[in-house]
Amino acid sequence: QVQLVESGGGLVQAGGSLRLSCAASGDTVCISAMGWYRQAPGKERELVAAIISGGSTNYADSVKGRFTISRDNAKNTLYLQMNSLKPEDTAVYYCKASLGSSCPDFYGMEYWGKGTPVTVSS
């Protein structure tokens, strides 16, 4: 199993920055990909950014050029640097870990954190 704990959310003015962190514990050696998702009130959860073991990343069009996802494998921590924040970035941000073929018994399993809220005021 994998446990994920997000932190770093809060209230920020438009144009400001925040850095979210997601600390992973447990069978972290099995993690092949991690991502940040967000869910705004009344909306479905959506992918914000993802990173796979080789370091490849992908971003939602709405955050490209403003957000950067990174992973510190030594610290088992995922980050999301968010710059030039907009009110429409307001949401609860969730971290997700996907387990890969390095652990065949757990292949395809996914784990979520409980989320950290981000509020961007105009």
Side-chain angles (χ1 to χ4, degrees):
Q1 290 189 343
V2 172
Q3 295 79 41
L4 302 171
V5 179
E6 303 97 334
S7 61
L11 174 64
V12 64
Q13 289 188 332
S17 298
L18 282 175
R19 188 176 82 155
L20 305 183
S21 299
C22 172
S25 60
D27 295 317
T28 57
V29 67
C30 301
I31 296 174
S32 62
M34 298 189 76
W36 288 99
Y37 290 72
R38 67 186 181 187
Q39 187 166 18
K43 295 188 176 181
E44 294 189 352
R45 193 172 297 188
E46 62 176 359
L47 174 67
V48 176
I51 185 167
I52 64 173
S53 296
S56 296
T57 59
N58 65 285
Y59 296 89
D61 288 343
S62 59
V63 307
K64 282 181 181 177
R66 299 188 298 122
F67 291 10
T68 302
I69 189 171
S70 62
R71 181 177 173 184
D72 186 333
N73 291 325
K75 296 182 178 180
N76 291 319
T77 302
L78 180 73
Y79 301 100
L80 185 68
Q81 178 66 44
M82 305 187 295
N83 299 327
S84 303
L85 283 161
K86 305 175 181 180
E88 50 263 44
D89 295 318
T90 295
V92 177
Y93 284 70
Y94 298 89
C95 174
K96 187 181 87 168
S98 302
L99 305 192
S101 57
S102 61
C103 298
D105 289 347
F106 306 135
Y107 179 77
M109 295 181 70
E110 297 179 338
Y111 294 89
W112 292 87
K114 294 184 177 180
T116 184
V118 171
T119 302
V120 184
S121 63
S122 57

